[in-house]
Amino acid sequence: MNPTNPIETLGRVRVVLCNTSHPGNIGAAARAMKTMGLTRLTLVNPKQFPDPEATARASGAADVLENARVVAGLDEALEGTILAAALSARQRDLGPIPQSARQAVPELLQWAGQGEIALVFGGETSGLTNAEVERCQRLVTIPVNPEYSSLNLGAAVQVLCYELRQAAFADAPPVSSVATPFATPPASHEEVEGFYAHLERLMTATGFLNPNSPRRLMPKLRRLFGRASLEKDEINILRGIIAAAETPLPGAKGRAGEPER
Ligand code: SAH
């Protein structure tokens, strides 16, 4: 893997389209990608695909459509990625702090220098759900006219791919600005999700999290750990701590965290 080669770096950026309703927009997105040197398209639960309208709108990018992966859920689409950025015109109460596309792109390229990343777009009807945004560590907005902020899906994909390409070729991202001393490789999406599930089980077992009244605990924790950009070793440490907390203390009655009877 060569983190400074812009062609290779752009090749590690996955475009994920969730719940699209118009196949034409899938084709337009494929065309937008290929003109900027991106090739990996993943479709989560598309209403209609494959479709002649998609092929027609893709024009010379039919190969991107042919190689597109179709999956049933966002977790599957994000498998193997080390960073995911949600694209939304709308502010969310929770989820990552929004950044403009131009602000976000240099960091996205640094991550793409190290592994696969994803740009996650919503469908035409209702965009991304809060749960989908919360699965991403970054939230990116294309700054627009506040009185009408919603771009066509294909146009939104074009803007992001354009910004990525300009930044990738303008100045190759510094190799080591994400890396820190003692760093281990970034954790993958499924490792991070495995940690959240484990943490949620512990918090439920100890009574810290009441599943009938969870408030906003998990989204807040997701935002906290999303900012931290967890590494593989850090996930192992955190899961080790949780596993230790689940183990009864020698001589203790009942399970850890369970009130004594
Ligand atoms: N009606 C939807 C928006 C659909 S536009 C809604 O209410 O959210 C389809 C997708 O294009 C969005 O989900 C988002 O991923 C992307 N998009 C459109 N305009 C955008 C903008 N200004 N900034 C970032 N992403 C945008």
Side-chain angles (χ1 to χ4, degrees):
M1 195 181 289
N2 179 354
T4 55
N5 179 328
I7 296 172
E8 282 183 27
T9 301
L10 292 172
R12 284 190 291 270
V13 181
R14 227 180 259 187
V15 169
V16 177
L17 307 182
C18 299
N19 300 308
T20 46
S21 19
H22 300 294
N25 282 332
I26 301 177
R31 182 174 187 171
M33 289 168 63
K34 188 167 176 181
T35 54
M36 297 297 139
L38 281 75
T39 53
R40 295 180 183 212
L41 177 61
T42 302
L43 306 171
V44 179
N45 204 13
K47 192 168 173 195
Q48 230 172 299
F49 185 81
D51 187 273
E53 178 71 13
T55 311
R57 293 280 301 278
S59 191
D63 55 325
V64 175
L65 290 186
E66 275 154 30
N67 294 322
R69 271 177 72 215
V70 179
V71 298
L74 183 56
D75 280 323
E76 203 182 326
L78 297 181
E79 262 170 28
T81 57
I82 55 170
L83 189 88
L87 271 291
S88 178
R90 281 182 288 135
Q91 290 271 354
R92 315 277 172 152
D93 294 358
L94 279 169
I97 311 292
Q99 293 174 290
S100 76
R102 200 160 287 175
Q103 276 172 338
V105 152
E107 193 207 351
L108 296 181
L109 287 172
Q110 285 172 15
W111 284 101
Q114 299 187 80
E116 296 207 14
I117 69 160
L119 303 175
V120 182
F121 294 83
E124 298 87 341
T125 319
S126 35
L128 292 170
T129 63
N130 286 342
E132 285 166 336
V133 171
E134 284 164 18
R135 280 181 142 56
C136 301
Q137 296 79 23
R138 301 289 180 271
L139 178 59
V140 178
T141 298
I142 301 164
V144 283
N145 173 4
E147 280 156 34
Y148 185 49
S149 64
S150 181
L151 275 77
N152 163 267
L153 175 58
V157 172
Q158 185 75 77
V159 170
L160 255 289
C161 295
Y162 171 79
E163 290 288 344
L164 278 172
R165 185 175 182 88
Q166 302 320 304
F169 279 91
D171 40 18
V175 183
S176 61
S177 42
V178 171
T180 46
F182 315 117
T184 59
S188 67
H189 173 73
E190 47 282 27
E191 288 164 339
V192 175
E193 288 301 321
F195 159 63
Y196 289 140
H198 199 175
L199 181 61
E200 195 168 358
R201 283 200 299 278
L202 176 74
M203 293 193 303
T204 308
T206 55
F208 187 74
L209 172 67
N210 175 357
N212 299 320
S213 170
R215 298 181 182 277
R216 293 175 156 197
L217 187 55
M218 282 317 294
K220 286 192 169 170
L221 289 172
R222 281 175 174 276
R223 183 157 69 178
L224 166 67
F225 287 111
R227 280 203 305 275
S229 306
L230 293 168
E231 296 171 6
K232 285 187 190 299
D233 268 11
E234 293 165 341
I235 291 274
N236 288 339
I237 292 168
L238 289 167
R239 292 203 64 166
I241 294 170
I242 298 172
E246 285 172 333
T247 311
L249 294 171
K253 292 193 192 115
R255 291 218 322 269
E258 246 182 32
E260 296 219 356
R261 283 169 228 274

